[in-house]
């Protein structure tokens, strides 16, 4: 797993370095923005702001996703989680997403999508926010954006649609089929990204899992200003999360290039704004410099994880020695003499992280035709199960039947 992720990051840097500069500098079209925003545009606003900001720091995303799956870290919640994150130098948006391991893990696994999203937000923030509202209006017109026990949907001036958690301290992450909730997709050449839904409750086109009880210490410090195309920051909360580091004074969110590390910027204007001293993408030295930085940062992270694993192993061994009786210690000593010194392979096992089971919420990209076929199969099976009354489950049909009906 460690080698695979390291290779992915290095390849990602090279993919941008080798691409023609003119092609990289072209902005994303509305079709491309709708395509990449489709699976997240209906997230609650506070979650969506953190996803957008975090996507501009892809290395932080990968490192945080790894950390979250390590041992006791996966069980941390609330104040204990916030406390454990104090020592991390990740951006506060990354720390906020650690509470949503499926979201964070899928951003790490689908790193190319994450980087595209971050590049789009950095270069076209106004357009990204406009297209989110466009997608929300599509879902509203299709009758699939309503308040329920998981969320509250309201309309502000100029038809701005705001989505908030129904409860202030619990956040639900919606998973949905874009071709259903938005209606038939309007760009056949740009089918929407699509995340498979988990086995969870279906409500009005959405699949809802369990709610996440949020940690107040790392949450609630930002919100959309839709009318000005900004993300407003509670400066005091942000500085408390980012304690002992660079302090923020501007209440509008600003990207920090030092936090992004060696990952290159796609757009020339963005690159000139945040790293004017960098050479143009395509320069051999620039590519080599980035690759070395990426590899070193990943090695530093991996070495720290190995040290933690070795330290934990030693602590467990010492604890076991303290708990053993004198007779058990004597017997263990005799066994050690008979068996000889431990083999070197045992120490290598400590260094080798175990293969991690893929996250059930992992993002998957499917084309529109696949979605329609899957929806049709689901329609047939659910109709058979529901019987004459129709049951309570969704009806497929690629956005036309059941869950896709206009109300």
């Amino acid at each position: 797993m460690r080698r695979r992720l390291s290779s992915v990051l290095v390849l990602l840097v090279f993919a941008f370095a080798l691409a023609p500069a003119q092609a990289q500098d072209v902005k994303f079209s509305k079709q491309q923005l709708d395509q990449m925003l489709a699976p997240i545009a209906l997230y609650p606003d506070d979650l969506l702001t953190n996803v957008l900001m975090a996507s501009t720091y892809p290395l932080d995303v990968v490192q945080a996703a790894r950390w979250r799956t390590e041992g006791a870290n996966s069980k941390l919640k609330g104040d204990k989680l916030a406390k454990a994150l104090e020592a991390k130098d990740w951006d506060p948006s990354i720390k906020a997403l650690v509470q949503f391991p499926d979201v964070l893990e899928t951003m790490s696994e689908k790193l190319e999508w994450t980087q595209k999203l971050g590049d789009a937000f950095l270069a076209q923030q106004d357009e990204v926010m406009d297209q989110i509202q466009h997608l929300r209006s599509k879902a509203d017109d299709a009758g699939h954006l309503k308040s329920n026990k998981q969320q509250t949907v309201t309309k502000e001036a100029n038809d701005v649609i705001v989505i908030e958690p129904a409860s202030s301290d619990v956040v639900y992450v919606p998973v949905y089929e874009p071709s259903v909730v938005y209606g038939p997709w309007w760009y056949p050449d740009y089918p929407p990204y699509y995340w498979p839904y988990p086995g969870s409750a279906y409500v009005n086109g959405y699949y809802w899992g369990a709610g996440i009880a949020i940690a107040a210490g790392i949450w609630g410090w930002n919100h959309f200003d839709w009318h000005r195309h900004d993300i407003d920051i509670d400066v005091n909360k942000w500085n408390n999360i980012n304690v002992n580091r660079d302090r923020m004074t501007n209440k509008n969110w600003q990207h920090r290039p030092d936090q992004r590390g060696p990952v290159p910027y796609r757009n020339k204007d963005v690159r000139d704004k945040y790293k004017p001293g960098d050479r143009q993408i395509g320069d051999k030295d620039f590519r080599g410099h980035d690759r070395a930085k990426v590899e070193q940062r990943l090695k530093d992270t991996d070495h720290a994880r190995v040290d933690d694993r070795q330290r934990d192993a030693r602590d467990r061994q010492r604890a076991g020695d303290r708990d053993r009786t004198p007779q058990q210690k004597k017997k263990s000593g005799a066994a050690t003499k008979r068996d000889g010194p431990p083999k070197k392979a045992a120490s290598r096992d400590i260094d080798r992280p175990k293969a991690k089971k893929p996250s059930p919420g992992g993002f998957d990209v499917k084309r529109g035709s696949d979605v329609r076929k899957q929806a049709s199969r689901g329609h047939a099976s659910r109709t058979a199960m529901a019987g004459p009354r129709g049951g309570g489950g969704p009806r497929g049909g690629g956005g036309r039947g059941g869950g896709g009906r206009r109300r």
Side-chain angles (χ1 to χ4, degrees), residues 183-241:
W185 193 252
W186 46 97
Y187 296 132
D189 292 335
Y190 294 88
Y193 282 82
Y194 161 69
W195 318 150
Y197 52 84
S200 48
Y202 177 88
V203 181
N204 193 35
Y206 299 79
Y207 294 85
W208 299 98
I212 304 294
I214 61 172
I218 52 177
W219 192 255
W221 51 270
N222 65 82
H223 68 275
F224 279 119
D225 184 340
W226 292 106
H227 302 285
R228 293 185 174 86
H229 295 97
D230 278 327
I231 295 179
D232 288 345
I233 304 296
D234 184 321
V235 174
N236 291 330
K237 282 189 175 182
W238 193 95
N239 288 332
N240 286 335
I241 299 170

Side-chain angles (χ1 to χ4, degrees), residues 52-53 56-57 118-126 229-230 248 250 252-280 286 293:
L52 293 173
M53 291 184 288
T56 69
Y57 308 113
D119 288 332
F121 191 57
L122 287 173
Q124 301 167 251
Q125 183 169 320
D126 289 7
H229 295 97
D230 278 327
M248 177 178 285
N250 192 330
N252 295 328
W253 177 77
Q254 293 180 332
H255 173 72
R256 297 183 297 155
D258 59 308
Q259 190 68 35
R260 184 177 174 93
V263 180
Y265 293 98
R266 178 183 189 273
N267 181 274
K268 181 180 182 299
D269 292 339
V270 175
R271 188 164 61 249
D272 290 344
K273 177 180 179 180
Y274 292 114
K275 289 193 175 181
D278 279 350
R279 299 186 178 122
Q280 294 295 316
F286 178 76
K293 281 186 176 181

Side-chain angles (χ1 to χ4, degrees), residues 118-170:
D119 288 332
F121 191 57
L122 287 173
Q124 301 167 251
Q125 183 169 320
D126 289 7
E127 294 173 69
V128 167
M129 293 179 68
D130 284 342
Q131 291 313 114
I132 290 171
Q133 286 297 322
H134 171 69
L135 288 165
R136 290 183 174 186
S137 68
K138 283 280 191 178
D140 182 52
D141 291 342
H144 290 112
L145 189 56
K146 299 180 181 295
S147 298
N148 52 34
K149 67 178 183 180
Q150 289 88 8
Q151 65 184 14
T152 300
V153 180
T154 56
K155 285 187 179 180
E156 297 183 347
N158 300 322
D159 293 326
V160 167
I161 298 176
V162 176
I163 305 175
E164 299 174 304
S167 173
S168 60
D169 55 359
V170 177

Side-chain angles (χ1 to χ4, degrees), residues 338-350:
R338 288 194 304 269
D339 297 339
K343 297 180 180 179
K344 291 184 178 180
S347 63
R348 286 200 299 270
D349 288 341
I350 296 176

Side-chain angles (χ1 to χ4, degrees), residues 177 179-180 194 197 368-382 394-400:
E177 295 181 10
S179 61
V180 173
Y194 161 69
Y197 52 84
S369 60
D370 296 332
V371 173
R372 288 190 291 273
K373 289 178 181 178
Q374 184 181 36
S376 297
R377 290 195 298 270
H379 167 68
S381 62
R382 286 189 291 270
R395 295 170 59 190
R400 291 185 174 83

Side-chain angles (χ1 to χ4, degrees), residues 11-22:
L11 288 172
L12 184 59
V13 170
F14 271 95
F16 280 85
L18 292 172
Q22 292 85 353

Side-chain angles (χ1 to χ4, degrees), residues 314-360:
R314 288 195 297 268
D315 290 344
R316 288 194 297 269
Q317 184 176 2
R318 293 193 189 103
D321 288 342
R322 287 194 300 269
D323 295 338
R324 286 187 298 175
T325 65
Q327 291 81 2
Q328 289 174 324
K329 292 180 180 179
K330 183 177 180 180
K331 183 177 179 180
S332 176
T336 302
K337 290 180 181 179
R338 288 194 304 269
D339 297 339
K343 297 180 180 179
K344 291 184 178 180
S347 63
R348 286 200 299 270
D349 288 341
I350 296 176
D351 295 344
R352 186 185 303 114
K354 296 180 179 179
K356 179 164 59 62
K357 185 178 180 181
S359 168

